[in-house]
């Protein structure tokens, strides 16, 4: 579930809310460098609007989004002017891996500290005002860059790349769908083997093995397998606790394909008499809340309003105090990114191309919890569910 963003200082070049910006194209460019050339082009325009001559992209996920290169310890300097080529600053470990990026950007292989390399490139290409990613660049690294370039040449910005990343193009949606199919197939392979006596850690390991065997580069996050009362801990970490008859088990798992994440949650019990009465009761409530909120997803709808649908339903049944997190979050190169369907942050509007989770839950201390989660693509007229695994109680009875 989403976590509220930590408050920070207002950047000197503030990025207007996403709803105030023109909608980014949802289709990938048809060029041979698609979709990265198109993304770089749209970002150039935002850099120019910020008043900077160049942007220092220090977030490795953003570098990957813009160039297709997903290594670490590599920065991208993007000029606002289309006449000047971007520069990726990296090191020897990635020299060969960066060859395919050269049609898009120049590659600078540094021999010393990153901050020295940033300064060397900045002076060589004539940077007059360098925007930084204030939400990512540490205070220490920013101070080191400022020492080389002068603080008056730096402009702190937030959200420039996130403004683009929030809208997924067709190539991104295809990777998210692929990851969803991988994670669903993995759990389907594990479910027939689930039985009382297995530990939470054993089940998590089997799910992650099955996902990797099907093409997931890594789990989207630490797989949650919560047996019995531990299901009341929303972000529980698996331990040696065993699955048991008469107890529920909550499984929250996700795959990563081509860098893109998916995220699902299901709850199970063993045998017809295996559902504890309270878990069976809240299961039906959570399922109704999830389906009601998902049915309301549509462009123009507010994130707070969608969250409120599920929250009001759970509150009306008397369980509001046991549902404390937001309804959902965006998916993409990060497992948790904008938009946030929550009552805890400033609301925003849903737009076509956003991919979000819908995952209400009820958590009863000492008894267990139920969370049901699926992934949805906001379309021009509503929303399309990207996950397909059943979630009715009959199916969830093992």
């Amino acid at each position: 579930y989403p976590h509220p963003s930590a408050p920070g200082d207002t950047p000197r070049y503030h990025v207007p809310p996403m709803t105030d910006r023109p909608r980014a194209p949802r289709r990938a460019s048809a060029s041979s460098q698609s979709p990265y050339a198109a993304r770089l082009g749209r970002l150039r325009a935002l850099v120019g609007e910020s008043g900077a001559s160049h942007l220092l992209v220090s977030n490795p996920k953003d570098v990957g989004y813009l160039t297709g290169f997903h290594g670490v310890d590599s920065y991208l300097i993007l000029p606002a002017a289309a006449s000047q080529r971007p520069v990726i600053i990296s090191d020897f470990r990635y020299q060969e891996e960066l060859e395919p990026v050269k049609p898009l950007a120049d590659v600078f292989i540094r021999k010393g500290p990153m901050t020295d390399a940033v300064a060397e490139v900045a002076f060589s290409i004539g940077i007059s005002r360098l925007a930084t990613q204030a939400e990512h660049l540490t205070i220490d690294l920013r101070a080191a860059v400022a020492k080389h370039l002068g603080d008056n040449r730096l402009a702190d910005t937030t959200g420039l790349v996130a403004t683009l990343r929030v809208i997924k193009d067709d190539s991104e949606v295809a990777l998210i769908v692929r990851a969803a199919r991988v994670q669903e197939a993995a759990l389907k392979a594990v479910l027939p083997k689930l039985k009382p006596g297995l530990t939470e850690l054993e089940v998590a390991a089997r799910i992650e093995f099955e996902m990797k065997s099907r093409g997931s580069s890594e789990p989207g996050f630490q797989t949650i397998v919560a047996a019995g009362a531990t299901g009341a801990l929303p972000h529980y970490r698996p331990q040696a606790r065993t699955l048991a008859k008469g107890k529920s088990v909550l499984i929250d798992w996700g795959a990563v394909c081509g860098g893109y994440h998916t995220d699902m949650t299901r709850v199970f019990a063993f045998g017809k008499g295996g559902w504890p009465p309270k878990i069976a009761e809240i299961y039906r409530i959570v399922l109704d809340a999830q389906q009601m909120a998902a049915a309301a997803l549509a462009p123009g709808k507010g994130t707070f309003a969608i969250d409120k649908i599920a929250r009001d339903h759970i509150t009306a049944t008397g369980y509001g105090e046991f549902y404390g997190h937001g309804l959902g979050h965006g998916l993409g190169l990060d497992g948790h990114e904008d938009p946030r369907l929550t009552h805890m942050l400033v609301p925003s509007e849903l737009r076509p191309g956003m991919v979000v989770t819908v995952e209400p839950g009820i958590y009863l201390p000492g008894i267990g919890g139920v969370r049901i989660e699926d992934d949805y693509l906001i379309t021009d007229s509503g929303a399309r569910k990207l996950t397909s695994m059943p979630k009715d109680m009959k199916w969830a009875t093992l």
Side-chain angles (χ1 to χ4, degrees), residues 47 99 105 130 138 158 177 189 227 243 247 286 308 374 387 391:
V47 175
E99 284 296 317
L130 181 64
T138 65
T158 60
V177 170
L243 280 59
K247 302 291 185 181
V286 171
K308 190 173 186 296
D374 286 296
T387 46
K391 50 194 172 186

Side-chain angles (χ1 to χ4, degrees), residues 24-209:
R26 290 177 51 206
R27 302 293 179 184
S29 165
S31 73
S32 62
Q33 296 172 349
S34 170
Y36 306 113
R39 295 172 187 172
L40 287 167
R42 293 195 291 272
L43 183 57
R44 286 181 190 271
L46 297 181
V47 175
E49 289 176 18
S50 77
S53 63
H54 297 74
L55 171 66
L56 177 64
V57 181
S58 55
N59 184 339
K61 295 290 181 70
D62 290 344
V63 174
Y65 171 76
L66 295 165
T67 67
F69 170 68
H70 291 280
V72 295
D73 297 329
S74 302
Y75 288 3
L76 173 72
I77 295 182
L78 178 70
S83 59
Q84 194 174 35
R85 283 170 57 82
V87 180
I88 287 185
I89 302 173
S90 191
D91 59 62
F92 174 80
R93 295 170 297 169
Y94 300 109
Q95 186 166 337
E96 185 175 352
E97 192 175 336
L98 280 163
E99 284 296 317
V101 180
K102 288 184 175 179
L104 281 172
D106 294 334
V107 175
F108 181 91
I109 301 300
R110 61 186 176 91
K111 306 297 184 182
M114 175 63 80
T115 51
D116 290 356
V118 169
E120 185 175 346
V121 171
F123 286 121
S124 69
I125 63 178
I127 289 176
S128 59
R129 190 80 165 151
L130 181 64
T132 65
Q133 293 188 294
E135 73 272 28
H136 181 266
L137 194 67
T138 65
I139 294 174
D140 182 59
L141 282 173
R142 187 197 183 281
V145 173
K147 184 177 180 180
H148 284 291
L149 300 182
D151 191 68
N152 63 331
R153 288 195 181 189
L154 297 186
D156 299 328
T157 64
T158 60
L160 289 179
V161 184
T163 298
L164 303 181
R165 280 180 52 182
V166 73
I167 303 297
K168 274 61 184 180
D169 61 36
D170 291 348
S171 65
E172 294 176 285
V173 173
L175 287 169
I176 293 172
V177 170
R178 177 182 163 195
R181 299 297 168 263
V182 164
Q183 78 170 123
E184 290 178 330
L187 188 64
K188 287 176 182 177
V190 170
L191 285 179
K193 302 171 185 177
L194 290 188
K195 59 183 179 181
L198 288 175
T199 70
E200 296 165 338
L201 284 169
E202 287 174 317
V203 176
R206 293 185 184 191
I207 293 171
E208 293 179 5
F209 168 80

